[in-house]
Amino acid sequence: MTLQMAEVLDVTLREVLVEHQGVLEAESPCFLQLATKGELSTIRCRVLSSRVSSSGRDEDLCFESMMEFFGVNPPAEQALKILIQALGGRGSSEVGGP
């Protein structure tokens, strides 16, 4: 696994849509790290789908990936709720990613 930064495009308590660089294969496992209130929460995920979204800086490809959460513990669920509230259910925020 490789640590990447990802921009959250949409999030619910069950799944997240992120934009990132680097290819993710559908059905592959990954982890999402969220930093809220000075605490880091790690959530186990599975990539549902991933597609090219645009060309970023210097012609690097950007991808959008939908990820499904697994085994969300109470601290991670609280971090998700804070993120959802901050984004109003939609928006963007950078987090450590896939």
Side-chain angles (χ1 to χ4, degrees), residues 10 34 60 71 84:
D10 196 11
L34 301 173
D60 289 337
I84 290 167

Side-chain angles (χ1 to χ4, degrees), residues 77-98:
E77 183 175 334
Q78 185 61 30
L80 283 171
K81 287 178 180 178
I82 291 168
L83 182 59
I84 290 167
Q85 183 178 19
L87 299 176
R90 282 194 177 269
S92 66
S93 176
E94 290 193 8
V95 296

Side-chain angles (χ1 to χ4, degrees), residues 5-64:
M5 292 301 291
E7 184 177 344
V8 175
L9 302 176
D10 196 11
V11 63
T12 69
L13 290 177
R14 293 185 178 160
E15 57 193 19
V16 64
L17 177 65
V18 296
E19 185 174 65
H20 56 91
Q21 293 182 330
V23 178
L24 293 176
E25 292 186 35
E27 302 299 320
S28 63
C30 61
F31 294 91
L32 181 70
Q33 292 182 327
L34 301 173
T36 56
K37 295 186 178 180
E39 295 184 28
L40 186 65
S41 296
T42 302
I43 304 171
R44 189 170 52 122
C45 306
R46 176 175 61 104
V47 177
L48 297 175
S49 64
S50 189
R51 66 177 184 86
V52 174
S53 65
S54 66
S55 291
R57 291 182 229 142
D58 302 325
E59 301 299 319
D60 289 337
L61 291 178
C62 289
F63 297 84
E64 283 186 3

